[in-house]
Amino acid sequence: MYAIDRLLTLLSAKGGAQYGEEAVTQLEHALQCAALAAAEGAPAASIAAALLHDIGHLLHRHGDSPALRGIDDRHEALGGKALARDFAAAVAEPVRLHVAAKRYLCAADPEYFARLSPASVRSLALQGGPMPAEEAARFLALPHAEAAIRVRQWDDAAKVPDRK
């Protein structure tokens, strides 16, 4: 319970901050993402990963909107590592891999890139851009790649202002 209390405290303290350049807060984005996962009947671990996928944004020390300053905050690695201490791989790994999933989707689906928000396009450039074919094949072979792809898709849809 200590880990959950710690996460709830972090979300309570920092979740009201704006989610990068998007028109929602960090907490609104997290809750929308988890709600989308739940609405699809996703497993509990995937719902938890959806809720916590951007927790690294609340843990890094780069200040607000680091991508606007050309900084990749590596929030996926930071969040995945933090969650791996207290949660199963089915929660932590999709968090760690959700940026790689964006890079994969940009390479695998030409229409996907066109749907990204301007902020997500900006961060994609800092995160390495679309994956080359060999890297994409290695990504897909990872145990939690499919869950990370779903988290990424919910992530993209979880930026709606005033959504309850």
Side-chain angles (χ1 to χ4, degrees), residues 25-95:
T25 67
Q26 294 278 353
L27 184 57
E28 288 169 334
H29 175 64
L31 292 172
Q32 285 183 28
C33 198
L36 290 166
E40 282 189 21
S46 292
I47 296 169
L51 177 70
L52 300 171
H53 76 281
D54 277 340
I55 201 73
H57 283 308
L58 305 181
L59 296 170
H60 71 69
R61 296 189 172 129
H62 296 293
D64 293 335
S65 302
L68 286 175
R69 292 178 277 123
I71 298 170
D72 177 7
D73 65 12
R74 304 271 304 135
H75 73 283
E76 72 283 6
L78 187 58
K81 183 178 178 181
L83 294 173
R85 290 190 297 256
D86 300 302
F87 292 88
V91 175
E93 282 299 288
V95 170

Side-chain angles (χ1 to χ4, degrees), residues 122-163:
R122 187 176 352 278
S123 64
L124 174 67
L126 296 171
Q127 295 159 340
M131 281 185 176
E134 287 181 17
E135 186 180 357
R138 285 192 306 272
F139 169 76
L140 280 180
L142 295 172
H144 300 282
E146 290 299 323
I149 289 169
R150 290 306 303 138
V151 167
R152 182 69 228 179
Q153 291 166 328
W154 297 318
D155 178 0
D156 294 325
K159 301 172 183 177
V160 181
D162 301 318
R163 180 183 277 168

Side-chain angles (χ1 to χ4, degrees), residues 98-113 115 130-131 139 148-150 152-153 156:
H98 81 279
V99 168
K102 175 172 74 169
R103 295 182 60 229
Y104 166 78
L105 287 166
C106 285
D109 179 0
E111 295 175 11
Y112 176 80
F113 180 83
R115 294 189 304 266
M131 281 185 176
F139 169 76
I149 289 169
R150 290 306 303 138
R152 182 69 228 179
Q153 291 166 328
D156 294 325

